[in-house]
Amino acid sequence: MIPLWKSVSAITSQRLRRLTLDGGWVWIALPLAIIYVLGVSMQGLFSTDFTPARPYQVAVAGGDASTSQVIEAMIASPDFFSVDLVADEDDARASVLARRSDAAVIVPPDDAEQPFRVIAPPGSVVLEIVGGVLRKEIEALHGAEDAEAEKASDPNAPPSSQLSSFEYFGVGIMIMFLMFTVHSMMVYSVGDRSSGAYGRIRTLGVSRTAYLVAGYAAAFVVGVIFAGVMALATRLIFGVEWGDPLAWTAVTLAGAAGVASISFLIMATMPPRPKAVESAGSTLIIIMSMMGGSTVPLAVLPSWFADTFAWLPNRIVLDGYFAIAAGGSLAEVAGKVALLLVVALCLLLAGWSISVVRAKGEA
Amino acid sequence: MSQFTTNAAAKAKKHADAQQIVVVEELRKRYGSATAVDGVSFAVHQGETFGLLGPNGAGKSTTLAVMSGLLRPDGGDVWIGGVSVRRSVREAQAMIGVVPQSLALYEDLSAKANLNYFAKLRGVPKAARAAEVSRVLKIVALEDDAGRRVSKFSGGMKRRLNIAIGLLGNPRVLLLDEPTVGIDPQSRRHILDSVRRLADEGMTIIYTSHYMEEVEYLCRRVAIMDRGKIIAQGPVDEVRALAGDSVTLILPTPSGALGNAVDLDALKRSVNVPMEVGSVEMRFLLPQGSRQAPELINTLRDTGVPLDGMRLETPNLETVFLSLTGKALRDHEARENGGESA
């Protein structure tokens, strides 16, 4: 019997080798290609020079002086907006539903306390742009103090809003593929079980604990290596700025641990069939990437949506990287790192407990 | 249970008899409400090739899984070289090599990379690893294919590599779980010869199979399992004698002809001997000197069964199994092929 660390080291290095031989370069080439495509196609959305192909048709309904202020603000940007004044909220809504207008703005009466409302397809660019104009109007109406408060409470404003499309997707897609790569390593563990290799390894004197630790370690190590290679590649190819190396390392280590724990939990709960675990993981990763801002920019997501899913581990990693890219130090991301580590530990313990129950009867 | 189902293991003193390198005592293993192994006991001597014979689902693989320290027994124990698997599983595992029924290989790696990996986990020192890998490759005659990816191997080559991995570290006891499943006759012969050479060199081997001819070829002693229990064990000749003076009447039939032609129920009523119907032949266990053979053939002809001749077979382990259980060793295969046993 060999010591635990030797078993872990042997299994980890063997999986790294298999990943490399098993078309491992795809895990680097594919995300880089996606970053390029998204970076180029979404450049306008992230640019300060962005103008739409045609002005957005906006129906405005409502109150008194505020209404004219909103209309004036929009008319001041003829490249962006073409304004239709409609009688009431129902007309405005009908105009959007019938697609006569891209968006509608419901202006409350001057004495009312409710905020401006924008009606537009969720997640659309027009919603974000009209919302931006309205925020400026709120600043004008309520003074600089409120505007600051508004800005500070908007989690999307800093620091992702200051990034180029390449910088944004360089980070977002890297995190998405970090999850895929880590998960593919965990699928190797399931493959071992279905092929009988797990049983063979156990009969060689490797304990179940050593095997599980090795599976987790392999996934974690691959995650860290992948993040390092991707950071370097995106820096060289797309000029992505990753910020303070120390802070980056802390976020990467905590992020890889969190992602490995997610995969570990999936592996522990699913039937021991590689296809099943792979499919479940891929589906979850795609959904998490969309909700966590990797594939759909946070600025485009409705703010309630972005806020609701800010707890996702991949979103915490994303926010951490953005904070570092914007000049944040280790101290500034320490909270996120600690949170990620706690999440990683909780998920790992949950997965471990399930695997212990499922291994009942094993020696 | 036959007179040869001795309680040798239970009677044997595990530590007293240095000849007995493997002792299995009253082994029990359940999966939920199903009993897979039910009080199995046997002992294997140093340098002996011991056969564990039985149909699919008899409990052979579960017995080996417990012996190799993979599953925890619900009752009983196994001693390897005097070491209890229940109490010191790692110590016991250091003495055994396991060849699982499944091809526990990494197809995306070469044969050599597979062997190096398992040798490392086995604890073969780095300095000795290359020589050890070469040694086992030679035993299974795969030296020339060591660098090739396993995915390019034939089924027989994969089976041989599967065995080579079990030989790493030169274990005292080799557990082979149906190592010839699903391969061509040439590869099968190669594997059987390799196992025989290992036995000749003094390795203790426990060989499970549902092919009685393999067990008869390799083993001096055998245990026959059915439904988790050992129904007979002892030297092959003695176990074979359990079939008494019986002979097996084999009536070959054209392939597929039996499917609709035979009214099995009617046949069972008219024939009062153990019988088994396969897809290409029918087997009847008859007492030596019985005059039932002509009568049987006439009955079959009357029912319109096309026959391709007949032959008589002297008792073998398959006959023993048929006589003890009333079913064929390979009844699983028979069912898959459309046959039935009665």
Side-chain angles (χ1 to χ4, degrees), chain A residues 1-2 6-7 9-11 13-15 17-18 21-22 188 192 194-208 211 359-363, chain B residues 29 68-73 89-90 93-94 96 98-100 102-106 108-110 113 117-118 120-124 149 161-163 165-166:
Chain A
M1 186 193 170
I2 59 174
K6 272 195 174 179
S7 312
S9 150
I11 295 170
S13 57
Q14 189 251 21
R15 289 192 182 171
R17 182 177 182 173
R18 288 179 66 199
L21 291 172
D22 203 12
Y188 282 151
D192 275 1
S194 65
S195 73
Y198 170 73
R200 166 162 262 163
I201 290 168
R202 293 292 319 281
T203 61
L204 291 172
V206 175
S207 67
R208 198 169 53 80
Y211 184 82
K360 197 180 166 193
E362 271 187 37
Chain B
K29 181 68 188 174
S68 59
L70 197 55
L71 294 177
R72 194 183 308 120
V89 64
R90 303 285 171 250
Q93 281 174 331
I96 59 171
V98 181
V99 179
S102 57
L103 287 167
L105 307 167
Y106 296 103
D108 47 357
L109 297 179
S110 68
Y117 173 59
F118 288 113
K120 205 185 286 185
L121 290 176
R122 175 89 200 180
V124 177
R149 271 194 180 208
L161 180 60
N162 208 31
I163 292 174
I165 294 168

Side-chain angles (χ1 to χ4, degrees), chain A residues 225-297:
Chain A
I225 292 172
F226 173 82
V229 172
M230 282 298 293
L232 189 65
T234 52
R235 177 86 185 88
L236 295 172
I237 300 169
F238 305 119
V240 176
E241 181 53 62
W242 290 90
D244 176 33
L246 194 61
W248 180 89
T249 305
V251 171
T252 301
L253 292 176
V259 170
S261 295
I262 293 170
S263 277
F264 190 85
L265 184 59
I266 295 171
M267 180 190 73
T269 50
M270 292 294 293
R273 292 194 301 273
K275 285 281 175 204
V277 174
E278 197 169 7
S279 303
S282 299
T283 306
L284 189 66
I285 289 167
I286 289 168
I287 293 170
M288 283 175 70
S289 298
M290 291 169 82
M291 297 198 306
S294 275
T295 50
V296 183

Side-chain angles (χ1 to χ4, degrees), chain B residues 114-187:
Chain B
N114 268 281
L115 287 164
N116 268 317
Y117 173 59
F118 288 113
K120 205 185 286 185
L121 290 176
R122 175 89 200 180
V124 177
K126 196 174 181 181
R129 217 173 285 153
E132 179 62 4
V133 167
S134 297
R135 184 185 73 84
V136 296
L137 278 169
K138 195 175 173 189
I139 292 172
V140 296
L142 282 176
E143 308 105 297
D144 296 338
D145 301 288
R148 280 176 66 198
R149 271 194 180 208
V150 175
S151 56
K152 309 280 182 197
F153 278 19
S154 67
M157 290 165 82
K158 286 177 188 173
R159 284 275 160 208
R160 275 144 66 189
L161 180 60
N162 208 31
I163 292 174
I165 294 168
L167 294 171
L168 286 165
N170 202 16
R172 290 177 68 187
V173 180
L174 185 64
L175 309 181
L176 288 152
D177 191 5
E178 310 221 14
T180 59
V181 167
I183 57 170
D184 58 281
Q186 196 185 349
S187 297

